[in-house]
Amino acid sequence: MPDTGPRVRVNQVGYLPKGPKVGTVVTEATDPLPWELHNAAGAVVARGASTPRGLDASSGQNVQSIDFGAYATAGTGYTLVADGETSRPFDIGSDFYEKLRADSLKFYYPQRSGIAIRDDLRPGYARPAGHVGVAPNKGDTDVPCQPGVCDYSLNVAGGWYDAGDHGKYVVNGGIAVHQVMSEYERSVLARTGEPWKLWDNTLALPESGNRVPDILDEARWEQEFLLKMQVPAGQPLAGMAHHKIHDAAWTGLPLLPDQDPQPRELHAPSTAATLNLAATAAQAARVFLPYDPAFAARNLKAAKAAWAAAKAHPAVYALASDGTGGGAYEDNNVSDEFYWAAAELYLSTGGKEFKDYLLASPLHTADIWAPDGFSWQSVAALGRLDLARIPNALPDRARVRASVAQGADRYLGIIAASPYGVPYAPAGNQWAWGSNSSILNNMEVLATAYDLTGAAKYRTGVLESMDYLLGRNALNQSYVTGYGEVNSHNEHSRWYAHELNADLPNPPVGTLAGGANSGIQDPLAQAKLAGCAPQFCYIDDIESYSTNEEAINWNSALAWVAGFVADQDNG
Ligand code: 9MR
């Protein structure tokens, strides 16, 4: 067992003054325990008795919860005391969530491929452009297909590196850029949104000052890449999208992007990638329309071509076996990708074809709110959430909106049944690779239900769930770099490899670690964590790629939720 510090667990970053405040004490006691809230001077400012919650299956711990929500005075350096133990310190306030809104999005700029990272914009993170054709890189400006896949090459420079590797994968880029654009759309539309917080000059980007919201400048860097992955007109499978582009063989750590000597290869097109392109390009068409109508039109054209190509080739699957030199991102069920793409195309065009497709799809009325959340492989919820959130003329829109609240009610039930209060209940208690993103994606459903209904229980559910990610958990640590007294900061990455080379930085503040993963698929985790209860299947070591990587689709979930939470400081 690792040393996890004091047995009283809190959100080590902080609690909103007008939000729920829950702590957790790990204890043998089964009767309620007295607790005290101390301010920074050590004075007792609140007290009460804890609530026994019983044995937590995700940690193997007996726990009790401490509700100090009635205390609402902003300040720093609070601690919670119970059972002879004092928690790590925390704040009551909201500034930290405003900072997290920006930091979780600032993560993307130094994740960019094809551009030098400027030190004036990210002090300590400057590095040369990766994969622009300068030796030893083979470059992404002229990438051939894998042998036998096609006989052309494409300029696919740019985009975001997927994670701690140098690969670029359309399905994972798809969900990530969608969630970033969706954070923007939510903020503009939501009752409690503060869209100006995402406006120009908010993220310190090369594009800042161009009168376009910085969040959209960042999204565009990825969307331009996704467009480049489309099979050109005149070629076999024209209109489809190549599934991915990455190294021919896996590389080791550390390795800066510009130092990667591996040949780069385009992998075969897939229906899943094609529909990710259709969905994100359709979304980009409406999101960018006020800022750059030509870019919007280019996206709409690509989206329609991708949709037609997917209809013509509906079952071209990416295989699990294609995992040499990069992730497989396999998927052999694309009904959910069709549904999501149809939803985005309908929302941007109002077209009858897309409306008819949606209304005929079994997924349109199915219960799609899985206890383990949506993911890059399972995207029906992305369509449903947008059909609920974004104004449209669907005849059953009221039912669509109600279905989001039904999903959110399921996640509230999961929180209530979880002694730590985590909105995540994977089958067989097997926590997945990237579980932190699954938790955040369920929080996005809760948050959307709050935006749609105004029912306080959903807001409470989101805010209490945030505690798990920021320290109220079995390991007593925050999973966001730079947030919380003890936080993940050695995430697996080839260039944030400070643990291996002191000249390199740790990941930037606001980087989310993948999180507890029952599968522990990497050798380091297998050596150190064998037999772990789910919450203990995590180690903040750069070698543990299956529990501790950083990734664009995980930070997009964090950013989306951080934006929502930052908007809640008004009440
Ligand atoms: O996030 C992906 C997870 O759902 C899969 O189970 C796992 C194994 O296939 O791959 C994860 O994605 C990784 C990708 O394959 C390569 N780049 C890093 C990604 C995050 O670990």
Side-chain angles (χ1 to χ4, degrees), residues 178 182-183 185-187 189-190 283 286 344 347 381-392 397 400-401 404 444-445 447-449 451-452 560:
H178 161 75
S182 168
E183 178 179 353
E185 287 196 285
R186 181 225 158 242
S187 189
L189 288 166
Q283 185 183 17
R286 65 173 182 268
E344 298 299 347
L347 289 169
L382 304 182
R384 187 79 69 80
L385 288 167
D386 271 2
L387 290 171
R389 187 186 288 133
I390 294 164
N392 65 76
R397 179 128 185 272
V400 167
R401 288 165 71 95
V404 174
E444 179 180 332
V445 178
T448 303
D451 285 340
L452 294 176
W560 197 103

PDB file of all heavy atoms in Angstrom, residues 178 182-183 185-187 189-190 283 286 344 347 381-392 397 400-401 404 444-445 447-449 451-452 560:
ATOM      1  N   HIS A 178     -14.147  18.247 -30.855  1.00  0.00           N
ATOM      2  CA  HIS A 178     -15.589  18.455 -30.637  1.00  0.00           C
ATOM      3  C   HIS A 178     -15.848  19.008 -29.245  1.00  0.00           C
ATOM      4  O   HIS A 178     -16.614  19.952 -29.066  1.00  0.00           O
ATOM      5  CB  HIS A 178     -16.354  17.137 -30.813  1.00  0.00           C
ATOM      6  CG  HIS A 178     -17.712  17.173 -30.183  1.00  0.00           C
ATOM      7  ND1 HIS A 178     -18.763  17.853 -30.743  1.00  0.00           N
ATOM      8  CD2 HIS A 178     -18.170  16.684 -28.989  1.00  0.00           C
ATOM      9  CE1 HIS A 178     -19.817  17.755 -29.942  1.00  0.00           C
ATOM     10  NE2 HIS A 178     -19.477  17.060 -28.880  1.00  0.00           N
ATOM     11  N   SER A 182     -17.451  22.397 -28.340  1.00  0.00           N
ATOM     12  CA  SER A 182     -18.685  22.293 -27.565  1.00  0.00           C
ATOM     13  C   SER A 182     -18.614  23.141 -26.293  1.00  0.00           C
ATOM     14  O   SER A 182     -19.629  23.719 -25.875  1.00  0.00           O
ATOM     15  CB  SER A 182     -18.925  20.818 -27.242  1.00  0.00           C
ATOM     16  OG  SER A 182     -19.930  20.670 -26.290  1.00  0.00           O
ATOM     17  N   GLU A 183     -17.441  23.238 -25.701  1.00  0.00           N
ATOM     18  CA  GLU A 183     -17.306  24.120 -24.538  1.00  0.00           C
ATOM     19  C   GLU A 183     -17.648  25.550 -24.953  1.00  0.00           C
ATOM     20  O   GLU A 183     -18.352  26.266 -24.238  1.00  0.00           O
ATOM     21  CB  GLU A 183     -15.885  24.067 -23.959  1.00  0.00           C
ATOM     22  CG  GLU A 183     -15.731  25.023 -22.777  1.00  0.00           C
ATOM     23  CD  GLU A 183     -14.358  25.019 -22.128  1.00  0.00           C
ATOM     24  OE1 GLU A 183     -13.511  24.173 -22.485  1.00  0.00           O
ATOM     25  OE2 GLU A 183     -14.130  25.891 -21.265  1.00  0.00           O
ATOM     26  N   GLU A 185     -19.580  26.436 -27.555  1.00  0.00           N
ATOM     27  CA  GLU A 185     -21.017  26.537 -27.849  1.00  0.00           C
ATOM     28  C   GLU A 185     -21.842  26.558 -26.568  1.00  0.00           C
ATOM     29  O   GLU A 185     -22.804  27.308 -26.447  1.00  0.00           O
ATOM     30  CB  GLU A 185     -21.459  25.354 -28.723  1.00  0.00           C
ATOM     31  CG  GLU A 185     -20.971  25.446 -30.159  1.00  0.00           C
ATOM     32  CD  GLU A 185     -21.729  24.503 -31.080  1.00  0.00           C
ATOM     33  OE1 GLU A 185     -21.460  23.292 -31.026  1.00  0.00           O
ATOM     34  OE2 GLU A 185     -22.586  24.971 -31.849  1.00  0.00           O
ATOM     35  N   ARG A 186     -21.471  25.711 -25.615  1.00  0.00           N
ATOM     36  CA  ARG A 186     -22.197  25.692 -24.344  1.00  0.00           C
ATOM     37  C   ARG A 186     -22.132  27.048 -23.642  1.00  0.00           C
ATOM     38  O   ARG A 186     -23.130  27.554 -23.140  1.00  0.00           O
ATOM     39  CB  ARG A 186     -21.586  24.626 -23.413  1.00  0.00           C
ATOM     40  CG  ARG A 186     -22.293  24.549 -22.109  1.00  0.00           C
ATOM     41  CD  ARG A 186     -21.399  24.487 -20.897  1.00  0.00           C
ATOM     42  NE  ARG A 186     -22.215  24.950 -19.773  1.00  0.00           N
ATOM     43  CZ  ARG A 186     -21.940  26.028 -19.054  1.00  0.00           C
ATOM     44  NH1 ARG A 186     -20.867  26.745 -19.295  1.00  0.00           N
ATOM     45  NH2 ARG A 186     -22.746  26.422 -18.100  1.00  0.00           N
ATOM     46  N   SER A 187     -20.950  27.614 -23.673  1.00  0.00           N
ATOM     47  CA  SER A 187     -20.772  28.860 -22.956  1.00  0.00           C
ATOM     48  C   SER A 187     -21.598  29.985 -23.575  1.00  0.00           C
ATOM     49  O   SER A 187     -22.138  30.833 -22.867  1.00  0.00           O
ATOM     50  CB  SER A 187     -19.292  29.222 -22.949  1.00  0.00           C
ATOM     51  OG  SER A 187     -19.068  30.308 -22.103  1.00  0.00           O
ATOM     52  N   LEU A 189     -24.427  29.516 -25.186  1.00  0.00           N
ATOM     53  CA  LEU A 189     -25.855  29.240 -25.079  1.00  0.00           C
ATOM     54  C   LEU A 189     -26.379  29.148 -23.654  1.00  0.00           C
ATOM     55  O   LEU A 189     -27.555  29.407 -23.406  1.00  0.00           O
ATOM     56  CB  LEU A 189     -26.172  27.892 -25.748  1.00  0.00           C
ATOM     57  CG  LEU A 189     -26.119  27.852 -27.265  1.00  0.00           C
ATOM     58  CD1 LEU A 189     -26.123  26.399 -27.740  1.00  0.00           C
ATOM     59  CD2 LEU A 189     -27.288  28.612 -27.846  1.00  0.00           C
ATOM     60  N   ALA A 190     -25.508  28.732 -22.726  1.00  0.00           N
ATOM     61  CA  ALA A 190     -26.024  28.324 -21.416  1.00  0.00           C
ATOM     62  C   ALA A 190     -26.542  29.499 -20.609  1.00  0.00           C
ATOM     63  O   ALA A 190     -26.009  30.604 -20.667  1.00  0.00           O
ATOM     64  CB  ALA A 190     -24.954  27.593 -20.626  1.00  0.00           C
ATOM     65  N   GLN A 283     -19.828  20.649 -37.263  1.00  0.00           N
ATOM     66  CA  GLN A 283     -19.856  21.538 -36.098  1.00  0.00           C
ATOM     67  C   GLN A 283     -19.027  22.796 -36.372  1.00  0.00           C
ATOM     68  O   GLN A 283     -19.453  23.917 -36.070  1.00  0.00           O
ATOM     69  CB  GLN A 283     -19.322  20.794 -34.875  1.00  0.00           C
ATOM     70  CG  GLN A 283     -19.412  21.591 -33.582  1.00  0.00           C
ATOM     71  CD  GLN A 283     -18.810  20.840 -32.398  1.00  0.00           C
ATOM     72  OE1 GLN A 283     -18.063  19.877 -32.570  1.00  0.00           O
ATOM     73  NE2 GLN A 283     -19.152  21.272 -31.189  1.00  0.00           N
ATOM     74  N   ARG A 286     -20.745  25.594 -38.339  1.00  0.00           N
ATOM     75  CA  ARG A 286     -21.628  26.579 -37.675  1.00  0.00           C
ATOM     76  C   ARG A 286     -20.854  27.427 -36.668  1.00  0.00           C
ATOM     77  O   ARG A 286     -21.131  28.605 -36.501  1.00  0.00           O
ATOM     78  CB  ARG A 286     -22.829  25.891 -37.016  1.00  0.00           C
ATOM     79  CG  ARG A 286     -22.540  24.966 -35.898  1.00  0.00           C
ATOM     80  CD  ARG A 286     -23.828  24.450 -35.199  1.00  0.00           C
ATOM     81  NE  ARG A 286     -23.475  23.588 -34.101  1.00  0.00           N
ATOM     82  CZ  ARG A 286     -23.338  22.275 -34.172  1.00  0.00           C
ATOM     83  NH1 ARG A 286     -23.573  21.643 -35.301  1.00  0.00           N
ATOM     84  NH2 ARG A 286     -22.984  21.573 -33.107  1.00  0.00           N
ATOM     85  N   GLU A 344     -24.820  16.378 -35.997  1.00  0.00           N
ATOM     86  CA  GLU A 344     -24.087  17.633 -36.265  1.00  0.00           C
ATOM     87  C   GLU A 344     -24.463  18.204 -37.634  1.00  0.00           C
ATOM     88  O   GLU A 344     -24.610  19.435 -37.783  1.00  0.00           O
ATOM     89  CB  GLU A 344     -22.573  17.391 -36.181  1.00  0.00           C
ATOM     90  CG  GLU A 344     -22.059  16.923 -34.807  1.00  0.00           C
ATOM     91  CD  GLU A 344     -22.299  17.899 -33.674  1.00  0.00           C
ATOM     92  OE1 GLU A 344     -22.650  19.064 -33.930  1.00  0.00           O
ATOM     93  OE2 GLU A 344     -22.143  17.478 -32.506  1.00  0.00           O
ATOM     94  N   LEU A 347     -27.892  19.786 -37.276  1.00  0.00           N
ATOM     95  CA  LEU A 347     -27.861  21.046 -36.529  1.00  0.00           C
ATOM     96  C   LEU A 347     -27.285  22.185 -37.375  1.00  0.00           C
ATOM     97  O   LEU A 347     -27.671  23.341 -37.209  1.00  0.00           O
ATOM     98  CB  LEU A 347     -27.032  20.875 -35.247  1.00  0.00           C
ATOM     99  CG  LEU A 347     -27.706  20.012 -34.171  1.00  0.00           C
ATOM    100  CD1 LEU A 347     -26.717  19.660 -33.063  1.00  0.00           C
ATOM    101  CD2 LEU A 347     -28.932  20.731 -33.596  1.00  0.00           C
ATOM    102  N   ALA A 381     -23.701   9.728 -27.323  1.00  0.00           N
ATOM    103  CA  ALA A 381     -24.053  10.791 -26.380  1.00  0.00           C
ATOM    104  C   ALA A 381     -23.666  12.170 -26.908  1.00  0.00           C
ATOM    105  O   ALA A 381     -24.322  13.163 -26.588  1.00  0.00           O
ATOM    106  CB  ALA A 381     -23.388  10.530 -25.028  1.00  0.00           C
ATOM    107  N   LEU A 382     -22.610  12.233 -27.721  1.00  0.00           N
ATOM    108  CA  LEU A 382     -22.217  13.550 -28.254  1.00  0.00           C
ATOM    109  C   LEU A 382     -23.325  14.107 -29.128  1.00  0.00           C
ATOM    110  O   LEU A 382     -23.644  15.305 -29.084  1.00  0.00           O
ATOM    111  CB  LEU A 382     -20.917  13.424 -29.056  1.00  0.00           C
ATOM    112  CG  LEU A 382     -19.707  12.827 -28.327  1.00  0.00           C
ATOM    113  CD1 LEU A 382     -18.489  12.807 -29.246  1.00  0.00           C
ATOM    114  CD2 LEU A 382     -19.406  13.608 -27.058  1.00  0.00           C
ATOM    115  N   GLY A 383     -23.929  13.231 -29.939  1.00  0.00           N
ATOM    116  CA  GLY A 383     -25.042  13.671 -30.773  1.00  0.00           C
ATOM    117  C   GLY A 383     -26.239  14.061 -29.935  1.00  0.00           C
ATOM    118  O   GLY A 383     -26.851  15.116 -30.132  1.00  0.00           O
ATOM    119  N   ARG A 384     -26.578  13.217 -28.972  1.00  0.00           N
ATOM    120  CA  ARG A 384     -27.770  13.469 -28.155  1.00  0.00           C
ATOM    121  C   ARG A 384     -27.619  14.764 -27.358  1.00  0.00           C
ATOM    122  O   ARG A 384     -28.554  15.577 -27.262  1.00  0.00           O
ATOM    123  CB  ARG A 384     -28.028  12.296 -27.221  1.00  0.00           C
ATOM    124  CG  ARG A 384     -29.336  12.365 -26.439  1.00  0.00           C
ATOM    125  CD  ARG A 384     -30.545  11.955 -27.272  1.00  0.00           C
ATOM    126  NE  ARG A 384     -30.515  10.533 -27.580  1.00  0.00           N
ATOM    127  CZ  ARG A 384     -30.874   9.545 -26.757  1.00  0.00           C
ATOM    128  NH1 ARG A 384     -31.324   9.831 -25.547  1.00  0.00           N
ATOM    129  NH2 ARG A 384     -30.818   8.295 -27.142  1.00  0.00           N
ATOM    130  N   LEU A 385     -26.457  14.970 -26.772  1.00  0.00           N
ATOM    131  CA  LEU A 385     -26.242  16.184 -25.975  1.00  0.00           C
ATOM    132  C   LEU A 385     -26.375  17.430 -26.844  1.00  0.00           C
ATOM    133  O   LEU A 385     -26.978  18.428 -26.431  1.00  0.00           O
ATOM    134  CB  LEU A 385     -24.858  16.144 -25.314  1.00  0.00           C
ATOM    135  CG  LEU A 385     -24.695  15.141 -24.163  1.00  0.00           C
ATOM    136  CD1 LEU A 385     -23.217  14.967 -23.810  1.00  0.00           C
ATOM    137  CD2 LEU A 385     -25.489  15.571 -22.932  1.00  0.00           C
ATOM    138  N   ASP A 386     -25.830  17.382 -28.058  1.00  0.00           N
ATOM    139  CA  ASP A 386     -25.931  18.568 -28.912  1.00  0.00           C
ATOM    140  C   ASP A 386     -27.355  18.791 -29.414  1.00  0.00           C
ATOM    141  O   ASP A 386     -27.807  19.934 -29.533  1.00  0.00           O
ATOM    142  CB  ASP A 386     -24.950  18.462 -30.093  1.00  0.00           C
ATOM    143  CG  ASP A 386     -23.578  19.046 -29.729  1.00  0.00           C
ATOM    144  OD1 ASP A 386     -23.411  19.478 -28.573  1.00  0.00           O
ATOM    145  OD2 ASP A 386     -22.690  19.083 -30.604  1.00  0.00           O
ATOM    146  N   LEU A 387     -28.065  17.694 -29.702  1.00  0.00           N
ATOM    147  CA  LEU A 387     -29.466  17.859 -30.134  1.00  0.00           C
ATOM    148  C   LEU A 387     -30.304  18.437 -29.005  1.00  0.00           C
ATOM    149  O   LEU A 387     -31.277  19.161 -29.243  1.00  0.00           O
ATOM    150  CB  LEU A 387     -30.049  16.516 -30.583  1.00  0.00           C
ATOM    151  CG  LEU A 387     -29.478  15.959 -31.890  1.00  0.00           C
ATOM    152  CD1 LEU A 387     -29.968  14.537 -32.117  1.00  0.00           C
ATOM    153  CD2 LEU A 387     -29.833  16.846 -33.081  1.00  0.00           C
ATOM    154  N   ALA A 388     -29.923  18.149 -27.764  1.00  0.00           N
ATOM    155  CA  ALA A 388     -30.642  18.714 -26.621  1.00  0.00           C
ATOM    156  C   ALA A 388     -30.263  20.173 -26.400  1.00  0.00           C
ATOM    157  O   ALA A 388     -31.103  21.020 -26.092  1.00  0.00           O
ATOM    158  CB  ALA A 388     -30.341  17.900 -25.371  1.00  0.00           C
ATOM    159  N   ARG A 389     -28.991  20.487 -26.596  1.00  0.00           N
ATOM    160  CA  ARG A 389     -28.450  21.777 -26.200  1.00  0.00           C
ATOM    161  C   ARG A 389     -28.679  22.859 -27.261  1.00  0.00           C
ATOM    162  O   ARG A 389     -28.961  24.020 -26.939  1.00  0.00           O
ATOM    163  CB  ARG A 389     -26.941  21.579 -25.977  1.00  0.00           C
ATOM    164  CG  ARG A 389     -26.183  22.724 -25.412  1.00  0.00           C
ATOM    165  CD  ARG A 389     -24.682  22.400 -25.412  1.00  0.00           C
ATOM    166  NE  ARG A 389     -24.320  21.398 -24.418  1.00  0.00           N
ATOM    167  CZ  ARG A 389     -23.546  20.334 -24.654  1.00  0.00           C
ATOM    168  NH1 ARG A 389     -23.027  20.112 -25.844  1.00  0.00           N
ATOM    169  NH2 ARG A 389     -23.267  19.487 -23.690  1.00  0.00           N
ATOM    170  N   ILE A 390     -28.533  22.481 -28.512  1.00  0.00           N
ATOM    171  CA  ILE A 390     -28.488  23.485 -29.584  1.00  0.00           C
ATOM    172  C   ILE A 390     -29.848  23.590 -30.253  1.00  0.00           C
ATOM    173  O   ILE A 390     -30.432  22.573 -30.636  1.00  0.00           O
ATOM    174  CB  ILE A 390     -27.369  23.101 -30.572  1.00  0.00           C
ATOM    175  CG1 ILE A 390     -26.027  23.213 -29.835  1.00  0.00           C
ATOM    176  CG2 ILE A 390     -27.390  23.993 -31.809  1.00  0.00           C
ATOM    177  CD1 ILE A 390     -24.888  22.540 -30.512  1.00  0.00           C
ATOM    178  N   PRO A 391     -30.370  24.812 -30.393  1.00  0.00           N
ATOM    179  CA  PRO A 391     -31.718  24.985 -30.953  1.00  0.00           C
ATOM    180  C   PRO A 391     -31.875  24.266 -32.295  1.00  0.00           C
ATOM    181  O   PRO A 391     -30.994  24.334 -33.156  1.00  0.00           O
ATOM    182  CB  PRO A 391     -31.829  26.508 -31.129  1.00  0.00           C
ATOM    183  CG  PRO A 391     -30.886  27.070 -30.108  1.00  0.00           C
ATOM    184  CD  PRO A 391     -29.763  26.086 -30.011  1.00  0.00           C
ATOM    185  N   ASN A 392     -32.996  23.566 -32.447  1.00  0.00           N
ATOM    186  CA  ASN A 392     -33.273  22.862 -33.704  1.00  0.00           C
ATOM    187  C   ASN A 392     -34.759  22.559 -33.778  1.00  0.00           C
ATOM    188  O   ASN A 392     -35.486  22.746 -32.797  1.00  0.00           O
ATOM    189  CB  ASN A 392     -32.436  21.578 -33.801  1.00  0.00           C
ATOM    190  CG  ASN A 392     -32.800  20.555 -32.746  1.00  0.00           C
ATOM    191  OD1 ASN A 392     -33.826  19.879 -32.850  1.00  0.00           O
ATOM    192  ND2 ASN A 392     -31.977  20.445 -31.711  1.00  0.00           N
ATOM    193  N   ARG A 397     -37.922  17.150 -29.891  1.00  0.00           N
ATOM    194  CA  ARG A 397     -36.825  17.792 -29.146  1.00  0.00           C
ATOM    195  C   ARG A 397     -37.077  17.773 -27.634  1.00  0.00           C
ATOM    196  O   ARG A 397     -36.143  17.601 -26.850  1.00  0.00           O
ATOM    197  CB  ARG A 397     -36.643  19.237 -29.629  1.00  0.00           C
ATOM    198  CG  ARG A 397     -35.532  19.960 -28.871  1.00  0.00           C
ATOM    199  CD  ARG A 397     -34.536  20.605 -29.781  1.00  0.00           C
ATOM    200  NE  ARG A 397     -33.448  21.176 -29.002  1.00  0.00           N
ATOM    201  CZ  ARG A 397     -33.453  22.419 -28.498  1.00  0.00           C
ATOM    202  NH1 ARG A 397     -34.480  23.225 -28.705  1.00  0.00           N
ATOM    203  NH2 ARG A 397     -32.412  22.854 -27.808  1.00  0.00           N
ATOM    204  N   VAL A 400     -35.942  14.573 -26.393  1.00  0.00           N
ATOM    205  CA  VAL A 400     -34.476  14.522 -26.424  1.00  0.00           C
ATOM    206  C   VAL A 400     -33.907  15.229 -25.202  1.00  0.00           C
ATOM    207  O   VAL A 400     -33.005  14.715 -24.524  1.00  0.00           O
ATOM    208  CB  VAL A 400     -33.945  15.151 -27.726  1.00  0.00           C
ATOM    209  CG1 VAL A 400     -32.447  15.397 -27.653  1.00  0.00           C
ATOM    210  CG2 VAL A 400     -34.290  14.269 -28.926  1.00  0.00           C
ATOM    211  N   ARG A 401     -34.451  16.382 -24.897  1.00  0.00           N
ATOM    212  CA  ARG A 401     -33.956  17.132 -23.724  1.00  0.00           C
ATOM    213  C   ARG A 401     -34.247  16.374 -22.432  1.00  0.00           C
ATOM    214  O   ARG A 401     -33.392  16.277 -21.542  1.00  0.00           O
ATOM    215  CB  ARG A 401     -34.599  18.521 -23.690  1.00  0.00           C
ATOM    216  CG  ARG A 401     -34.053  19.446 -24.775  1.00  0.00           C
ATOM    217  CD  ARG A 401     -34.919  20.677 -24.972  1.00  0.00           C
ATOM    218  NE  ARG A 401     -34.846  21.620 -23.868  1.00  0.00           N
ATOM    219  CZ  ARG A 401     -34.029  22.674 -23.830  1.00  0.00           C
ATOM    220  NH1 ARG A 401     -33.192  22.905 -24.832  1.00  0.00           N
ATOM    221  NH2 ARG A 401     -34.042  23.494 -22.803  1.00  0.00           N
ATOM    222  N   VAL A 404     -31.721  13.648 -21.555  1.00  0.00           N
ATOM    223  CA  VAL A 404     -30.463  14.041 -20.918  1.00  0.00           C
ATOM    224  C   VAL A 404     -30.644  14.068 -19.395  1.00  0.00           C
ATOM    225  O   VAL A 404     -29.783  13.613 -18.632  1.00  0.00           O
ATOM    226  CB  VAL A 404     -29.976  15.408 -21.441  1.00  0.00           C
ATOM    227  CG1 VAL A 404     -28.743  15.869 -20.675  1.00  0.00           C
ATOM    228  CG2 VAL A 404     -29.677  15.324 -22.944  1.00  0.00           C
ATOM    229  N   GLU A 444     -20.195  15.855 -17.667  1.00  0.00           N
ATOM    230  CA  GLU A 444     -20.719  16.723 -18.733  1.00  0.00           C
ATOM    231  C   GLU A 444     -22.217  16.486 -18.922  1.00  0.00           C
ATOM    232  O   GLU A 444     -22.983  17.430 -19.175  1.00  0.00           O
ATOM    233  CB  GLU A 444     -19.970  16.496 -20.052  1.00  0.00           C
ATOM    234  CG  GLU A 444     -20.527  17.364 -21.175  1.00  0.00           C
ATOM    235  CD  GLU A 444     -19.844  17.208 -22.529  1.00  0.00           C
ATOM    236  OE1 GLU A 444     -18.649  16.864 -22.571  1.00  0.00           O
ATOM    237  OE2 GLU A 444     -20.530  17.442 -23.548  1.00  0.00           O
ATOM    238  N   VAL A 445     -22.651  15.236 -18.769  1.00  0.00           N
ATOM    239  CA  VAL A 445     -24.087  14.947 -18.878  1.00  0.00           C
ATOM    240  C   VAL A 445     -24.845  15.616 -17.730  1.00  0.00           C
ATOM    241  O   VAL A 445     -25.882  16.259 -17.936  1.00  0.00           O
ATOM    242  CB  VAL A 445     -24.336  13.429 -18.896  1.00  0.00           C
ATOM    243  CG1 VAL A 445     -25.840  13.131 -18.956  1.00  0.00           C
ATOM    244  CG2 VAL A 445     -23.613  12.773 -20.082  1.00  0.00           C
ATOM    245  N   ALA A 447     -23.897  18.237 -16.068  1.00  0.00           N
ATOM    246  CA  ALA A 447     -23.828  19.684 -16.267  1.00  0.00           C
ATOM    247  C   ALA A 447     -24.821  20.134 -17.339  1.00  0.00           C
ATOM    248  O   ALA A 447     -25.482  21.179 -17.201  1.00  0.00           O
ATOM    249  CB  ALA A 447     -22.402  20.083 -16.666  1.00  0.00           C
ATOM    250  N   THR A 448     -24.941  19.342 -18.386  1.00  0.00           N
ATOM    251  CA  THR A 448     -25.883  19.694 -19.448  1.00  0.00           C
ATOM    252  C   THR A 448     -27.314  19.629 -18.922  1.00  0.00           C
ATOM    253  O   THR A 448     -28.151  20.485 -19.245  1.00  0.00           O
ATOM    254  CB  THR A 448     -25.683  18.768 -20.658  1.00  0.00           C
ATOM    255  OG1 THR A 448     -24.328  18.868 -21.087  1.00  0.00           O
ATOM    256  CG2 THR A 448     -26.600  19.159 -21.810  1.00  0.00           C
ATOM    257  N   ALA A 449     -27.587  18.622 -18.075  1.00  0.00           N
ATOM    258  CA  ALA A 449     -28.926  18.538 -17.481  1.00  0.00           C
ATOM    259  C   ALA A 449     -29.202  19.785 -16.640  1.00  0.00           C
ATOM    260  O   ALA A 449     -30.330  20.301 -16.632  1.00  0.00           O
ATOM    261  CB  ALA A 449     -29.048  17.276 -16.630  1.00  0.00           C
ATOM    262  N   ASP A 451     -27.865  22.810 -17.160  1.00  0.00           N
ATOM    263  CA  ASP A 451     -28.097  23.910 -18.107  1.00  0.00           C
ATOM    264  C   ASP A 451     -29.516  23.844 -18.689  1.00  0.00           C
ATOM    265  O   ASP A 451     -30.153  24.874 -18.910  1.00  0.00           O
ATOM    266  CB  ASP A 451     -27.081  23.847 -19.248  1.00  0.00           C
ATOM    267  CG  ASP A 451     -25.688  24.325 -18.838  1.00  0.00           C
ATOM    268  OD1 ASP A 451     -25.573  25.050 -17.828  1.00  0.00           O
ATOM    269  OD2 ASP A 451     -24.725  23.983 -19.544  1.00  0.00           O
ATOM    270  N   LEU A 452     -30.007  22.622 -18.943  1.00  0.00           N
ATOM    271  CA  LEU A 452     -31.311  22.474 -19.602  1.00  0.00           C
ATOM    272  C   LEU A 452     -32.465  22.685 -18.640  1.00  0.00           C
ATOM    273  O   LEU A 452     -33.522  23.197 -19.030  1.00  0.00           O
ATOM    274  CB  LEU A 452     -31.431  21.072 -20.224  1.00  0.00           C
ATOM    275  CG  LEU A 452     -30.490  20.742 -21.377  1.00  0.00           C
ATOM    276  CD1 LEU A 452     -30.670  19.286 -21.807  1.00  0.00           C
ATOM    277  CD2 LEU A 452     -30.737  21.665 -22.573  1.00  0.00           C
ATOM    278  N   TRP A 560     -14.007  21.118 -20.668  1.00  0.00           N
ATOM    279  CA  TRP A 560     -15.467  21.337 -20.781  1.00  0.00           C
ATOM    280  C   TRP A 560     -16.068  21.515 -19.380  1.00  0.00           C
ATOM    281  O   TRP A 560     -16.812  22.461 -19.114  1.00  0.00           O
ATOM    282  CB  TRP A 560     -16.122  20.165 -21.505  1.00  0.00           C
ATOM    283  CG  TRP A 560     -17.497  20.455 -22.021  1.00  0.00           C
ATOM    284  CD1 TRP A 560     -17.852  20.727 -23.315  1.00  0.00           C
ATOM    285  CD2 TRP A 560     -18.715  20.534 -21.240  1.00  0.00           C
ATOM    286  NE1 TRP A 560     -19.219  20.965 -23.387  1.00  0.00           N
ATOM    287  CE2 TRP A 560     -19.762  20.857 -22.124  1.00  0.00           C
ATOM    288  CE3 TRP A 560     -19.018  20.374 -19.895  1.00  0.00           C
ATOM    289  CZ2 TRP A 560     -21.081  21.006 -21.714  1.00  0.00           C
ATOM    290  CZ3 TRP A 560     -20.342  20.546 -19.467  1.00  0.00           C
ATOM    291  CH2 TRP A 560     -21.357  20.853 -20.379  1.00  0.00           C
TER     292      TRP A 560
END
